Amino acid sequence: FEARHKMITESLLFQPMHESIANLIHHHLAVQTDQPIIADLGCGEGSHLHKILIDEVCPPAIGLGLDISKEGILLAAKKYDHSMWIVGDLAQSPLADQSVHVILNILSPSNHKEFHRILNPNGFVVKVVPRAGYLKELRVALRSEEKQYTNEETVALFKKNYHLADRTTLFYTKKLNQIELHRLVQMTPLSWTGGPEAIESFLSQNTAPITIDMDILVGLKNG
């Protein structure tokens, strides 16, 4: 979680994603309320929500982060005191019915039944899903066989549960230094399947380009 925090806040690897999500919230937020609730479900240590709410100057909002990891939530609460942080399962959240105006679901699993329960009738879900090129340099380096990934099954399920109001594709490459490469390996589950030699070889680089390839989906609540 510390590596994830530093990567998100210091390397700017995900800055274009934060900007895009903030712009989509500005565009689609139809609920006229002084303080809409924006909930990041599967928030980890909270840095994505922090960057979107604070750095990108979203509408004055109540930020809420929920994650099943107690360690992640403790770190979020220590670093970001402007939002509420809750340890909980996104499949059985403690949030009230129709209480959330915007659900963020960034590179993490979804529970659409629960999302529908807590989402305001005029609210929407912003879901970020990886595409085939996401972190491809790391995946190629750490795996002997590279299977072509597609997110179409995830997108189809999203479209089944919501009216797809927006789909933004982000594709760019950023050069990371050696410290940032170490943080990337520490924060991603991709490294769990990599052998020690492959990881050591990847981390021996002084710099390396890293590709970000993702879809940002905006879904309006059906019915």
Side-chain angles (χ1 to χ4, degrees):
F1 283 124
E2 284 286 359
R4 184 180 189 266
H5 166 74
K6 290 178 180 177
M7 176 60 70
I8 294 171
T9 59
E10 297 179 14
S11 76
L12 304 182
L13 179 63
F14 295 101
Q15 187 71 15
M17 181 191 75
H18 298 145
E19 293 173 355
S20 295
I21 291 175
N23 288 335
L24 289 168
I25 291 174
H26 276 290
H27 180 71
H28 290 282
L29 191 60
V31 178
Q32 298 302 314
T33 178
D34 290 338
Q35 288 189 306
I37 295 177
I38 299 177
D40 185 358
L41 304 185
C43 67
E45 43 62 62
S47 293
H48 284 315
L49 180 61
H50 171 78
K51 296 288 286 187
I52 292 165
L53 287 180
I54 302 302
D55 290 6
E56 300 308 325
V57 197
C58 275
I62 298 172
L64 187 152
L66 180 142
D67 200 279
I68 200 167
S69 170
K70 181 179 180 180
E71 292 79 6
I73 292 299
L74 284 173
L75 184 59
K78 288 178 181 178
K79 293 185 179 294
Y80 308 124
D81 59 5
H82 62 278
S83 295
M84 296 181 290
W85 304 103
I86 301 171
V87 178
D89 185 350
L90 62 81
Q92 293 180 310
S93 78
L95 305 179
D97 293 354
Q98 301 185 2
S99 61
V100 175
H101 302 97
V102 182
I103 292 175
L104 304 181
N105 189 226
I106 302 173
L107 301 170
S108 63
S110 303
N111 187 291
H112 298 300
K113 181 179 179 181
E114 183 69 355
F115 288 4
H116 273 277
R117 182 186 71 79
I118 67 175
L119 193 62
N120 183 278
N122 294 316
F124 56 94
V125 178
V126 179
K127 181 170 179 62
V128 180
V129 292
R131 289 168 52 88
Y134 183 70
L135 304 183
K136 64 180 182 180
E137 297 83 2
L138 181 59
R139 289 189 285 111
V140 169
L142 300 189
R143 295 180 179 178
S144 57
E145 294 185 7
E146 177 65 12
K147 295 181 180 179
Q148 184 71 15
Y149 170 80
T150 174
N151 66 18
E152 285 309 310
E153 184 176 341
T154 301
V155 173
L157 181 61
F158 188 85
K159 292 166 70 174
K160 182 179 179 180
N161 283 276
Y162 313 96
H163 169 67
L164 184 63
D166 227 315
R167 181 174 182 173
T168 300
T169 297
L170 290 183
F171 182 88
Y172 58 92
T173 300
K174 189 178 188 308
K175 184 173 287 187
L176 301 185
N177 60 39
Q178 194 173 54
I179 292 175
E180 291 170 327
L181 292 175
H182 275 266
R183 290 172 180 167
L184 182 65
V185 168
Q186 288 177 310
M187 67 172 273
T188 175
L190 291 173
S191 61
W192 300 348
T193 59
E197 291 183 1
I199 293 176
E200 184 178 350
S201 176
F202 180 80
L203 294 178
S204 67
Q205 305 172 94
N206 290 325
T207 62
I210 295 295
T211 297
I212 297 297
D213 185 16
M214 56 177 58
D215 281 325
I216 305 176
L217 312 175
V218 176
L220 307 182
K221 189 174 183 179
N222 290 330

